Amino acid sequence: MSINEIGEFIGAFLILIGSIFSVISAIGIIRFPDVYTRAHAATKSSTLAVLLALLGAFLYIWFSDAFISVRVISGILFVFITAPVSGHLIIRAAYRSKVKLADSTIEDELKPVLEKED
């Protein structure tokens, strides 16, 4: 096996792992009880899934075609920056709109912080 074949294999493996994380994220979105935990599943694991898939695509393209794709790198940076921030803003907007927490929630750590602001 040459170094290019090993690199292509690692890229394909990362794409496979990314797709597995994507399925786990989808299951979490379906199974979790409220908007807060669903948004957590949507942002954390799906961000990791997309990053792994894009990294795998980047490595595969790099080793198979000897080409460094700036578009894939910018896609990785864009997802890495925007997905967690948008998830945080959606959760914060839901909390400020008084969307009910799940019944299994034990502690609301944000309530005292927002009471100080008002």
Side-chain angles (χ1 to χ4, degrees):
M1 283 184 84
S2 69
I3 190 73
N4 287 341
E5 291 174 346
I6 293 172
E8 289 174 5
F9 177 77
I10 291 172
F13 183 72
L14 286 174
I15 293 171
L16 176 68
I17 296 298
S19 64
I20 290 170
F21 270 101
S22 180
V23 169
I24 292 170
S25 175
I27 292 170
I29 291 170
I30 293 170
R31 297 277 319 258
F32 285 151
D34 62 352
V35 68
Y36 307 106
T37 53
R38 287 179 182 161
H40 180 76
T43 55
K44 296 271 185 179
S45 59
S46 65
T47 301
L48 179 62
V50 170
L51 291 177
L52 285 174
L54 286 176
L55 181 63
F58 174 76
L59 290 176
Y60 188 84
I61 292 169
W62 186 18
F63 283 107
S64 66
D65 297 337
F67 177 73
I68 295 177
S69 176
V70 178
R71 289 183 183 178
V72 176
I73 293 172
S74 62
I76 290 170
L77 291 174
F78 182 76
V79 169
F80 186 70
I81 292 170
T82 59
V85 173
S86 64
H88 177 77
L89 291 175
I90 289 170
I91 292 172
R92 184 61 80 106
Y95 189 85
R96 288 185 181 263
S97 298
K98 302 201 183 338
V99 175
K100 186 178 181 284
L101 294 167
D103 295 333
S104 60
T105 303
I106 298 171
E107 184 177 353
D108 183 4
E109 294 180 359
L110 193 57
K111 188 175 184 177
V113 174
L114 291 180
E115 285 176 351
K116 288 180 185 178
E117 289 180 5
D118 293 336

